[in-house]
Amino acid sequence: MTDSHAYPLLQSIDSPLDLRRLSEDQLPQLTEELRAFLLETVSQSGGHFAAGLGTIELTVALHYVFDTPQDKVVWDVGHQAYPHKILTGRRDRISTIRRKDGLSAFPNRDECEFDCFGVGHSSTSISAALGMAIAAGLDHRNNHAVAIIGDGGLTGGMAFEALNHAGVLDANLLVILNDNEMSISPNVGALNNYLAKLLSGKLYTTVREGSRQLLRRHMPSVWELARRAEEHMKGMVIPGTLFEELGFNYIGPIDGHDIDTLVTTLRNLRELPGPRFLHVVTQKGKGYAPAEADPVAYHAVGKFDPTQDHLPKSKPGSPTYTEIFGQWLCDMAEQDPRLLGITPAMREGSGLVEFSKRFPDRYFDVGIAEQHAVTLAGGQACEGYKPVVAIYSTFLQRAYDQLIHDVALQNLPVLFAIDRAGLVGPDGPTHAGSFDLSYLRCIPNMLIMAPADENECRQMLYTGFRHDGPAAVRYPRGKGPGVAPVAEMAALPIGKAEIKRHGSTLALLAFGTMVEPALQAGEALDATVVNMRFVKPLDEALILEMARTHDVLVTVEENAIAGGAGAAVSEALSRHHCLIPVVHLGLSDVFLEHASREELLSESGLDAAGIEQSVRRYLEATAKLKPPVLARSKSK
């Protein structure tokens, strides 16, 4: 733990109950201590940073005004929830965040009772909080449910579905929009803070509701005129007409760094009935100048020196798979004017920064709207363009119906560049790309590839782009084995694998990232090693040849074993009535908690040592069986 003398108030808080014992006059000091503590700890451990700096005051105010955990506070995504974790009994463990056996990167129900809903993906908070508010009403409890969602999260269609539903219910729900884009900064100040306090107060609410009832009953034409006048006047100073029309009592925008205004406004809103919407304007990275100047760079950080005005530069070396994709996208766009690039709000993460600068008219950031991204690509493909959807594996799950119905069913030429496939490490199970091979390969018309190295990734992207139908290239986070990409692009023969090593009685059929560790294990086992390359279509001819010339086949993939690439191999053997022992190595039927990617691979038995050990255990176990469980069939 850090020096207690530097954080006298913060050190006294082990739960929100301790926070609520403070006087309001002490809250500004607490926010200063919390901001300094967050800077000190995250600079030493790394983690999500800028978003948390922007929600210090809001977090303090929420736990000060509401009776958490009886009142439910649901954070959208959770990048901004580090201050929440610190105030809810996890202060002394915050330095362990995102590490093996440490705190989760996001709110997690198994970690703390104050994390009332597990998050990690965007635009879910309003739906979850509404569900909790409905449950409280059915149980005749007076609990409040609060959803905090960012302006980015509000671009997700699911958020509007929840708002549309909540507006017609009498649920005890408060939605807080944490707007950190500063696009409405001129509206934030003393006047708007005053209006927020006034409009959320009992006097205004009582007079307004009483007047509405009177005019509705006795003077409907005057009521309609008054209603329009009210909306017009509020619309002049408050950009909340949309939310009012959806059935919410809209308040704001207010300064999200004014703790006094926040506490007063939240207290007033706590007493109001029905769905309420509070618009709070904050600054991402607030209180730390480098993060204020570059909130994107400081969104998620490694260890850094807080006395410096910049983050440490990464050491030069081989490019990451994301960088390989970004360079290929620009190279391909120069060759083919039909190429269009699409991302659901992940320009930096997916490697589209350079493309967005060089080809702005062909770059489309659709916001956090994965469903729209996929169907948008389908529409573009219908008109002769060649869209490339750059998307994380875990986020493509959110557009599964669109993938099937709007692209694959129509056999449209859309290329999916699937980043962060497999184990992603510190972000944990919410971001792991563990399922894409399983959910993709069951879709007709899909071409699915998994590169073993950087150059193969570049060539597969080219292959998928040229393919006249939907195609997917899935690649991991970080770097590969260090194979330099070849500038000249050449399409790979569809559905053809390659033998990387010839061995004796054992064959390792490896997919994508598992080729390198399989080669290492193959040396120790004297096994044949095949780089399968294609998950769909499989190289069935080579699989049958391996079955004819070997005693045991082992499939290795960085994907769920259930329904994955190994299952596809077994299905192919079954179709050809070929009986041979097959061992499937991959991710087990569990959600793996956060740790480094290397630790998770080792834990899953997917490093070289783990593959070798698993195979030896199988061979030892089957050697004891007399006669063998399965007799190898000799293919004619």
Side-chain angles (χ1 to χ4, degrees), residues 142-421:
N142 293 321
N143 304 115
H144 296 264
V146 183
I148 304 97
I149 187 169
D151 49 305
L154 204 60
T155 65
M158 184 177 175
F160 283 93
E161 293 173 16
L163 288 170
N164 184 58
H165 184 205
V168 299
L169 301 177
D170 188 26
N172 196 356
L173 172 69
L174 170 62
V175 176
I176 298 177
L177 171 60
N178 175 34
D179 183 349
N180 55 30
E181 284 295 317
M182 303 303 288
S183 59
I184 57 170
S185 55
N187 291 330
V188 178
L191 175 60
N192 279 278
N193 288 341
Y194 171 75
L195 285 172
K197 293 179 181 179
L198 175 67
L199 294 173
S200 65
K202 289 184 178 179
L203 177 61
Y204 173 82
T205 304
T206 302
V207 171
R208 182 177 68 171
E209 292 305 315
S211 301
R212 281 179 173 176
Q213 293 178 17
L214 178 65
L215 292 174
R216 277 175 180 159
R217 293 174 183 171
H218 303 293
M219 303 177 68
S221 60
V222 177
W223 149 247
E224 180 62 21
L225 177 63
R227 185 191 68 81
R228 292 180 179 179
E230 179 193 36
E231 295 303 328
H232 177 69
M233 292 301 295
K234 289 182 69 175
M236 290 174 63
V237 293
I238 301 172
T241 304
L242 169 64
F243 304 107
E244 290 278 1
E245 291 297 328
L246 285 171
F248 281 76
N249 186 3
Y250 173 91
I251 305 298
I254 68 172
D255 184 351
H257 301 299
D258 184 335
I259 189 68
D260 294 333
T261 295
L262 280 169
V263 169
T264 301
T265 304
L266 288 173
R267 277 179 174 160
N268 288 335
L269 287 170
R270 186 183 61 186
E271 302 304 317
L272 295 182
R276 292 138 287 158
F277 192 101
L278 174 62
H279 189 164
V280 174
V281 175
T282 62
Q283 182 177 15
K284 201 170 184 179
K286 175 69 174 178
Y288 182 58
E292 291 179 359
D294 192 355
V296 173
Y298 282 86
H299 170 69
V301 296
K303 295 180 181 180
F304 67 97
D305 183 352
T307 65
Q308 301 295 316
D309 61 358
H310 57 80
L311 293 170
K313 294 182 179 179
S314 58
K315 297 179 181 179
S318 60
T320 65
Y321 278 101
T322 301
E323 291 167 340
I324 295 294
F325 164 74
Q327 184 62 56
W328 170 83
L329 191 67
C330 291
D331 293 346
M332 195 72 244
E334 287 181 342
Q335 294 187 19
D336 194 332
R338 298 175 302 161
L339 184 148
L340 305 176
I342 301 172
T343 177
M346 294 302 296
R347 184 185 70 161
E348 290 78 14
S350 292
L352 279 79
V353 174
E354 184 66 20
F355 177 83
S356 69
K357 294 176 181 177
R358 291 174 56 183
F359 306 95
D361 294 339
R362 295 155 67 184
Y363 166 72
F364 302 91
D365 184 342
V366 302
I368 305 176
E370 293 86 359
Q371 294 174 312
H372 168 57
V374 173
T375 303
L376 173 71
Q380 293 169 340
C382 284
E383 296 303 304
Y385 282 90
K386 298 280 287 185
V388 178
V389 179
I391 191 168
Y392 287 10
S393 171
T394 187
F395 298 149
L396 183 57
Q397 298 164 185
R398 312 186 79 190
Y400 195 53
D401 179 65
Q402 288 69 27
L403 178 62
I404 295 173
H405 185 273
D406 299 337
V407 174
L409 180 62
Q410 304 178 80
N411 201 27
L412 295 174
V414 176
L415 173 61
F416 294 91
I418 305 175
D419 203 337
R420 269 65 166 180

Side-chain angles (χ1 to χ4, degrees), residues 321 324 451 453-460 483-488:
Y321 278 101
I324 295 294
D453 58 51
E454 296 89 335
N455 180 56
E456 196 164 73
C457 182
R458 179 176 171 86
Q459 308 310 326
M460 283 183 175
V483 178
V486 177
E488 183 179 354

Side-chain angles (χ1 to χ4, degrees), residues 4 35 52-53 64 71 73 78 91 160 180 219 284 319 329 331 363 367 411 446 523 593 598:
S4 61
R35 184 166 277 112
L53 287 176
Y64 191 72
D71 290 333
V73 174
R91 179 191 62 238
F160 283 93
N180 55 30
M219 303 177 68
K284 201 170 184 179
L329 191 67
D331 293 346
Y363 166 72
N411 201 27
M446 286 297 303
E523 289 292 332
E593 293 302 324
E598 292 71 25

Side-chain angles (χ1 to χ4, degrees), residues 84-101:
H84 161 79
K85 287 177 181 269
I86 293 169
L87 293 175
T88 53
R90 290 165 280 183
R91 179 191 62 238
D92 295 345
R93 297 187 62 212
I94 199 68
S95 62
T96 71
I97 203 160
R98 303 173 85 237
R99 297 181 184 176
K100 184 175 175 60
D101 300 323

Side-chain angles (χ1 to χ4, degrees), residues 468-480:
D468 190 21
V473 179
R474 59 104 70 172
Y475 45 89
R477 180 178 187 172
K479 299 183 178 183

